[in-house]
Amino acid sequence: MRTMTTSHTACAKAKEQDTDKICLEVSMKLEKFFEGVEYELVWAKARNGKIGVMITYKDFLSVGLLGRMLKDIIPSEIHVNLKREYSDEVLARILLNEFKKNRIGVVDCYGGSLVTEPIRAYVYRLLSSVELN
């Protein structure tokens, strides 16, 4: 009778190669999916061998919708963490719309006290103290 022994390092290398292959395949799929979108992938491997990926993206779909869409692309054994960021242009557009509606109140520390004021009053107060070039 013949017995076969395998070293732990050989098994670990084989698993590592499989992990690298899966990460590469998923990365290529995500590259096509995020075409034209600013994004970043950070891969991590837990002590228990599970793989995780942190996807940081800018000015794209909501986290919920994106998560549902990625279930078709990313295997279920990979833990996915999504982080949505916004460009200055998007933030400026949203804040300008709120400024025009003037339905938002801002709480600020002014003169040593907390003051609540409409967004327009807050912005005008800030602008009055700033030198515009």
Side-chain angles (χ1 to χ4, degrees):
M1 181 172 182
R2 188 170 181 206
T3 59
M4 187 170 143
T5 59
T6 57
S7 72
H8 291 290
T9 55
C11 288
K13 284 184 181 180
K15 285 182 183 179
E16 192 171 307
Q17 288 173 348
D18 289 343
T19 299
D20 290 344
K21 183 180 176 185
I22 290 170
C23 293
L24 182 61
E25 288 174 5
V26 169
S27 294
M28 289 171 40
K29 288 179 183 179
L30 291 173
E31 188 173 326
K32 288 180 184 177
F33 181 84
F34 283 110
E35 187 173 338
V37 176
E38 188 177 327
Y39 77 101
E40 177 185 15
L41 303 177
V42 177
W43 292 93
K45 188 173 180 182
R47 288 184 211 161
N48 62 5
K50 292 191 177 188
I51 306 168
V53 63
M54 169 83 154
I55 303 172
T56 304
Y57 64 97
K58 190 180 278 189
D59 297 343
F60 196 46
L61 304 170
S62 71
V63 171
L65 178 58
L66 183 61
R68 290 190 296 277
M69 293 175 79
L70 291 179
K71 285 186 179 187
D72 295 335
I73 296 173
I74 299 175
S76 60
E77 63 265 12
I78 297 177
H79 176 73
V80 178
N81 191 0
L82 299 173
K83 181 180 177 191
R84 184 180 187 189
E85 294 187 344
Y86 304 92
S87 66
D88 291 348
E89 293 80 19
V90 168
L91 290 172
R93 189 173 350 127
I94 289 169
L95 291 173
L96 178 60
N97 286 336
E98 294 304 325
F99 176 83
K100 288 178 180 179
K101 292 178 199 173
N102 200 32
R103 293 191 325 225
I104 301 267
V106 177
V107 177
D108 188 28
C109 184
Y110 182 67
S113 302
L114 288 180
V115 177
T116 303
E117 55 193 338
I119 191 169
R120 283 190 182 175
Y122 172 75
V123 170
Y124 290 144
R125 184 169 52 81
L126 287 179
L127 290 172
S128 68
S129 64
V130 174
E131 292 290 326
L132 298 176
N133 294 327

